[in-house]
């Protein structure tokens, strides 16, 4: 059984990936500083898997603390989620994002080097593409200007890993560029549970529907899209979790010039904000209170994935659609409201 360090492992995507890792026979080691997550998720992981998990309270920018984790847990590989992720916040606090997201990655790679750990899965993002001219985007689509400091940290993070791979022949890395994770585990034991008010569309929808928010805003309806609202590729979080485990198992088969591979992970279909709202209203039977507002700084107009490469190379494909996403997200919201 391999010991896999999961940075940001009590966060949204991290916790769901921990569940999939356990299901696939790995032993996750969770580190998280709880800056935007709760240890309550560990109870949910226990409920789903029967495995009692603990979380090491470590900031990945702390080299000494991170080194201690590697040395005391005999780490075989790393899945790196720990990063700030709000596009809107990054526009207003760029230094916070550059410091945490890039210093954390540099520190992690430095410790991996010193401890002889050569396997890394990096949580990247479709934000690296910026506003693209041709859809769907493939892994060969060139980076456009990042629309936010958050997106720029992911662009630079990928380049850091690629350059590191060129310099270290034994290293193997995969950058997973995922699109818009949403939904919850079908058990309702875990889901999206950030400490800060969520800005992602799906939890904003469910919080509005249940009355935690008086209403919600659709940021712009005058874009050049199917209905004027922004278009995204929404992927169920458990499909995304499975992609990380599949990527991990394929690292030793990598055969690239710099030992680093890149994959888009999405459904491969664009869904507009207004279409997502319609899907929610259909599965929940509730009418959502929303208004059309101004465009929001940092938002990309439209982006969705070509997923042929990840399906071919990793033998992975999504099994859930936007209605499945909305259904599980709504069930999770209903459960949370009763706690």
């Amino acid at each position: 059984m391999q010991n896999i360090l999961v940075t940001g492992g009590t966060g949204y995507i991290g916790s769901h990936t921990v569940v999939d890792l356990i299901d696939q026979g790995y032993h996750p080691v969770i580190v998280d500083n709880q800056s935007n997550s709760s240890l309550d998720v560990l109870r949910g992981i226990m409920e789903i898997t029967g495995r009692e998990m603990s979380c090491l309270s470590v900031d990945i920018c702390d080299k000494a603390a991170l080194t201690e984790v590697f040395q005391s847990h005999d780490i075989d590989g790393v899945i790196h989620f720990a990063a700030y992720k709000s596009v809107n916040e990054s526009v207003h606090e760029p230094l916070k994002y550059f410091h945490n997201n890039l210093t954390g990655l540099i520190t992690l790679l430095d410790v991996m080097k010193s401890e002889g750990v050569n396997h890394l899965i990096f949580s990247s993002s479709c934000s690296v593409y910026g506003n693209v001219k041709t859809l769907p985007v493939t892994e060969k689509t060139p980076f456009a200007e990042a629309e936010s400091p958050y997106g720029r940290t992911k662009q630079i993070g990928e380049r850091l890993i690629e350059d590191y791979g060129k310099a270290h022949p034994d290293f193997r890395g995969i950058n997973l560029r995922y699109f818009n994770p949403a939904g919850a585990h079908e058990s309702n034991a875990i889901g999206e549970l950030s400490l800060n008010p969520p800005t992602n569309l799906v939890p904003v929808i469910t919080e509005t529907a249940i009355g935690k928010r008086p209403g919600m805003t659709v940021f712009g309806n005058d874009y050049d899209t199917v209905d004027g609202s922004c278009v995204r590729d929404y992927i169920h979080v458990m499909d995304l979790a499975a992609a990380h485990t599949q990527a991990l198992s394929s690292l030793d088969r990598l055969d690239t010039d710099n030992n680093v591979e890149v994959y888009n992970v999405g459904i491969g279909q664009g869904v507009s904000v207004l279409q997502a709202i319609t899907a929610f209203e259909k599965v929940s039977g509730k009418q959502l209170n929303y208004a059309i507002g101004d465009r929001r700084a940092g938002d990309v107009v439209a982006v969705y994935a070509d997923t042929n490469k990840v399906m071919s190379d990793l033998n992975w494909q999504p099994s859930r659609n936007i209605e499945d996403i909305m259904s599980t997200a709504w069930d999770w919201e209903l459960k949370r409201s009763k706690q």
Side-chain angles (χ1 to χ4, degrees):
M1 180 183 293
Q2 289 185 309
N3 295 327
I4 305 301
L5 181 69
V6 184
T7 72
T10 59
Y12 176 43
I13 306 171
S15 61
H16 288 77
T17 301
V18 165
V19 167
D20 197 70
L21 285 168
I22 293 171
D23 287 346
Q24 298 303 317
Y26 291 94
H27 181 262
V29 177
I30 300 173
V31 299
D32 202 306
N33 67 0
Q34 277 81 62
S35 62
N36 192 31
S37 63
S38 169
L39 291 176
D40 290 345
V41 74
L42 299 177
R43 290 199 297 269
I45 293 172
M46 172 67 178
E47 181 181 331
I48 297 167
T49 67
R51 180 82 63 83
E52 186 172 352
M53 298 295 300
S54 60
C55 174
L56 303 169
S57 184
V58 171
D59 190 312
I60 58 164
C61 295
D62 185 337
K63 184 177 180 181
L66 197 58
T67 299
E68 170 61 24
V69 172
F70 274 77
Q71 292 179 347
S72 60
H73 290 82
D74 193 22
I75 300 300
D76 297 297
V78 180
I79 303 180
H80 179 44
F81 294 107
Y84 294 140
K85 64 177 186 176
S86 169
V87 168
N88 192 47
E89 182 185 51
S90 77
V91 172
H92 300 288
E93 298 189 60
L95 292 183
K96 174 181 177 180
Y97 276 69
F98 282 113
H99 173 73
N100 184 76
N101 294 6
L102 296 178
T103 303
L105 175 58
I106 291 168
T107 303
L108 175 64
L109 288 171
D110 198 17
V111 174
M112 288 177 66
K113 178 184 176 183
S114 64
E115 298 303 317
V117 178
N118 293 311
H119 287 173
L120 174 67
I121 309 297
F122 176 60
S123 167
S124 190
S125 165
C126 64
S127 62
V128 298
Y129 293 115
N131 270 313
V132 296
K133 296 180 180 179
T134 304
L135 291 170
V137 294
T138 74
E139 288 80 359
K140 293 184 178 180
T141 299
F143 290 177
E145 181 72 14
E147 291 296 304
S148 68
Y150 164 75
R152 199 179 306 279
T153 68
K154 292 301 183 183
Q155 289 179 337
I156 297 171
E158 284 202 22
R159 298 305 191 215
L160 277 170
I161 293 167
E162 289 169 6
D163 287 341
Y164 183 87
K166 291 176 182 177
H168 298 86
D170 293 333
F171 179 77
R172 297 292 183 273
I174 289 178
N175 297 327
L176 292 181
R177 294 174 183 165
Y178 31 89
F179 283 64
N180 290 71
H185 192 275
E186 285 84 354
S187 67
N188 296 329
I190 59 174
E192 191 157 6
L193 186 62
S194 60
L195 299 183
N196 300 318
T199 58
N200 296 338
L201 177 65
V202 175
V204 169
I205 286 175
T206 60
E207 288 190 357
T208 301
I210 208 160
K212 292 179 180 178
R213 299 170 184 247
M216 62 169 286
T217 301
V218 175
F219 295 105
N221 68 341
D222 57 351
Y223 289 105
D224 184 18
T225 62
V226 62
D227 55 24
S229 62
C230 289
V231 169
R232 298 291 183 269
D233 185 336
Y234 295 94
I235 178 171
H236 195 284
V237 66
M238 286 309 299
D239 283 335
L240 179 57
H244 288 82
T245 310
Q246 288 289 93
L248 190 66
S249 67
S250 73
L251 279 171
D252 285 327
R253 301 195 303 270
L254 284 186
D255 184 23
T256 60
D257 291 340
N258 61 359
N259 306 318
V260 177
E261 192 54 271
V262 176
Y263 295 104
N264 287 335
V265 187
I267 289 178
Q269 175 183 338
V271 176
S272 75
V273 174
L274 292 173
Q275 288 172 333
I277 289 173
T278 298
F280 172 80
E281 291 178 335
K282 177 181 177 181
V283 301
S284 69
K286 296 184 69 69
Q287 189 166 356
L288 204 65
N289 179 29
Y290 67 91
I292 305 298
D294 295 333
R295 296 184 179 192
R296 181 173 57 178
D299 277 344
V300 171
V301 177
V303 63
Y304 56 93
D306 181 317
T307 57
N308 286 318
K309 183 180 177 185
V310 67
M311 290 192 291
S312 173
D313 288 9
L314 301 188
N315 194 28
W316 170 93
Q317 62 182 13
S319 61
R320 303 162 180 89
N321 60 24
I322 187 64
E323 292 187 2
D324 297 320
I325 287 170
M326 291 300 182
S327 178
T328 56
W330 181 232
D331 287 345
W332 167 246
E333 189 67 67
L334 289 170
K335 178 182 179 180
R336 283 203 300 154
S337 71
K338 296 175 183 177
Q339 294 177 339

